[in-house]
Amino acid sequence: MTASPPMNSADAARLTLYTFAMSHYSEKIRWTLDHSRIPYREVCMTPVFHMVPALRMGKRGQTTLPILQTRAKAIQDSPRILDWLTENLGPLDVLPQSGMQQIRAVEQRFDAIGKDVARFLYANSFGTADEHIKRLWTDYASPGQATFIRGAYPVIRWAFKRKLHITPKRSDIARERITQVIDWLEAQLKDGRTYLVNDRFSAADITAAALLAPIACPSEHPVYGDPQFAQSMASAIAPWRHRPALQWVRQIYALHRGELQGGAFSPQAQRLRA
């Protein structure tokens, strides 16, 4: 399947996507925009320092990312962004009217485990992979921001654990919920299908693959494709690593991830960061 033709809308040319580089919700929207060839600029934000801008842009009392800034408004949270894309720049190949209800049901199922994935991985990396976490949190920081994050890391880590409710019990629950969704995904795929809805690549596949990317570690992912990440998470993701569902995630990435067009992960940008 080919991607949608380039968008000529003046709205599309003025889109800015505010993300966390490692966020699976951000990757879901980043991938949708890339595949649909909708021009946008990505701004990767730094944890802690994102809070005031997110509150100001979102106007919803929340600090969550991604946020899509258009000429007229800012849209916060990935499901609402997909709604806006459908209403203002549709129809898109990955958000067709036929099967839309099924697509959004799959999206909801996988969005529901987003915090579980983060909770489980951080529970198994805080204290053992702190240097790698600091690097992920400061990759797009200014020098001053990076100095603050590194110096205040113990306090930030404590606050992060409280916010995400990272405890041994909640980590075990997260593992169970992730496993249940992986079981569900494999049940859908057991008939040999490649795509989850109507035998065509859609936002259902993007959401499922993006939300499981921190566990599957597909090489095409701009953050989780890093061998150092996979190594730091090896023991945590070992129970699922070779599950058919995770192999499917890597297959979907290999087939459809394509070029990252927002600028933050372009070869030139990566060289400037190196």
Side-chain angles (χ1 to χ4, degrees):
M1 177 183 297
T2 59
S4 302
M7 294 290 171
N8 295 316
S9 166
D11 281 328
R14 291 171 174 80
L15 298 182
T16 300
L17 181 66
Y18 293 90
T19 69
F20 289 134
M22 74 289 286
S23 162
H24 31 21
Y25 296 114
S26 296
E27 166 69 355
K28 167 183 159 185
I29 300 303
R30 182 194 295 130
W31 190 350
T32 298
L33 294 171
D34 286 339
H35 182 84
S36 302
R37 300 179 66 188
I38 298 174
Y40 71 102
R41 179 175 68 98
E42 181 173 3
V43 177
C44 293
M45 305 191 79
T46 300
V48 179
F49 292 95
H50 80 286
M51 296 174 69
V52 171
L55 286 169
R56 184 180 65 248
M57 287 188 289
K59 295 183 172 65
R60 301 171 64 237
Q62 297 182 11
T63 61
T64 55
L65 298 177
I67 293 175
L68 185 69
Q69 180 69 60
T70 75
R71 287 193 304 169
K73 61 186 295 188
I75 305 97
Q76 189 174 36
D77 295 334
S78 61
R80 298 176 72 246
I81 293 173
L82 290 189
D83 288 340
W84 186 90
L85 292 173
T86 299
E87 294 167 6
N88 293 272
L89 297 177
L92 303 180
D93 279 350
V94 295
L95 291 165
Q97 288 302 310
S98 175
M100 181 67 78
Q101 186 174 356
Q102 293 171 277
I103 290 169
R104 300 313 292 266
V106 172
E107 177 199 15
Q108 185 176 19
R109 181 183 295 273
F110 281 88
D111 278 352
I113 65 159
K115 288 185 179 180
D116 291 299
V117 172
R119 182 177 295 119
F120 181 80
L121 292 181
Y122 277 118
N124 285 273
S125 58
F126 279 145
T128 59
D130 288 325
E131 289 306 311
H132 187 64
I133 294 172
K134 290 178 193 177
R135 199 200 83 185
L136 289 176
W137 286 2
T138 59
D139 262 354
Y140 292 88
S142 69
Q145 290 173 342
T147 298
F148 176 84
I149 292 291
R150 294 189 184 102
Y153 178 77
V155 175
I156 296 171
R157 183 179 65 181
W158 173 83
F160 200 83
K161 289 174 72 173
R162 284 180 60 87
K163 182 179 180 181
L164 261 185
H165 305 290
I166 297 175
T167 65
K169 180 179 179 179
R170 295 294 292 269
S171 177
D172 288 342
I173 293 172
R175 183 181 64 244
E176 292 172 4
R177 294 186 64 191
I178 294 166
T179 300
Q180 288 171 1
V181 170
I182 288 174
D183 290 342
W184 178 89
L185 178 55
E186 290 180 353
Q188 308 309 302
L189 300 172
K190 68 181 180 181
D191 60 3
R193 72 178 69 183
T194 300
Y195 305 116
L196 292 174
V197 178
N198 289 348
D199 198 29
R200 59 181 290 178
F201 181 65
S202 73
D205 307 296
I206 287 176
T207 302
L211 269 291
L212 291 176
I215 298 170
C217 301
S219 59
E220 296 81 7
H221 193 284
V223 175
Y224 300 124
D226 181 357
Q228 184 177 349
F229 174 84
Q231 182 178 0
S232 68
M233 294 291 107
S235 61
I237 65 180
W240 304 298
R241 179 66 178 167
H242 299 293
R243 291 280 302 259
L246 279 298
Q247 295 174 21
W248 174 85
V249 170
R250 292 186 281 271
Q251 178 189 18
I252 290 296
Y253 263 87
L255 288 173
H256 293 289
R257 185 57 187 93
E259 180 181 357
L260 290 97
Q261 302 177 60
F265 295 99
S266 68
Q268 180 181 6
Q270 297 301 299
R271 285 195 297 272
L272 291 173
R273 289 173 55 232

